[in-house]
Amino acid sequence: MDRAAIADSLFAMATCLDDKDWVTLAASLTDDTHSYGSVGVAETVARVRYCLDVCGATQHLIGNVRIEQDGSDAAVRSSFRAFHTGIGDLAGLTYECMGDYDDRWRRTSDGWRLAARTVRIRAELGDRRVIGM
């Protein structure tokens, strides 16, 4: 049951990214999260927004999910492919990356929350300016 709940939380986070649902994204993080090179909820959400608020539609696909649960903590490694479309002056351009998420998830009274995420990019295609970089 926990494995399914952890995977569901992982997939729900990808939906938050694509929907640009920052409130739900914030609620899916632990207060002390160390994710996307940031620490804490506000800093993590700000970092994600920096990259995604400047682009158009995105699609974050996740697969090959491996979960090693230890009580209320879980180490989760998953493969991702993230596609981003440009807007404004960058309309018609795209940026795509693929790699792995190395995560730590923690069970809380509100369900599984992301405590840490390291993004390991294996390949990139397109123009990073689409995501503000």
Side-chain angles (χ1 to χ4, degrees):
M1 186 65 91
D2 278 336
R3 293 176 64 78
I6 294 165
D8 286 347
S9 297
L10 176 66
F11 300 142
M13 179 169 280
T15 300
C16 289
L17 298 175
D18 292 335
D19 291 346
K20 299 182 182 181
D21 181 352
W22 311 131
V23 172
T24 305
L25 177 65
S28 68
L29 305 170
T30 62
D31 291 339
D32 62 344
T33 190
H34 286 70
S35 301
Y36 297 98
S38 302
V39 178
V41 174
E43 189 177 314
T44 299
V45 172
R47 175 68 180 148
V48 171
R49 290 189 72 169
Y50 175 85
C51 293
L52 297 183
D53 276 347
V54 299
C55 65
T58 66
Q59 185 178 54
H60 292 76
L61 302 175
I62 298 175
N64 301 331
V65 178
R66 283 99 53 209
I67 300 169
E68 292 184 22
Q69 186 179 348
D70 183 15
S72 293
D73 292 305
V76 180
R77 185 168 194 181
S78 58
S79 301
F80 74 87
R81 189 165 185 172
F83 184 79
H84 309 79
T85 60
I87 56 174
D89 292 343
L90 301 176
L93 297 178
T94 61
Y95 171 72
E96 183 173 15
C97 59
M98 55 213 78
D100 299 299
Y101 292 139
D102 288 318
D103 293 347
R104 253 187 326 106
W105 288 80
R106 185 179 308 142
R107 185 189 304 121
T108 71
S109 59
D110 296 318
W112 287 92
R113 300 292 180 256
L114 182 68
R117 170 169 284 174
T118 301
V119 180
R120 300 190 193 290
I121 296 175
R122 294 177 180 262
E124 299 175 274
L125 300 167
D127 194 324
R128 284 182 132 219
R129 292 179 302 157
V130 168
I131 58 168
M133 301 185 97

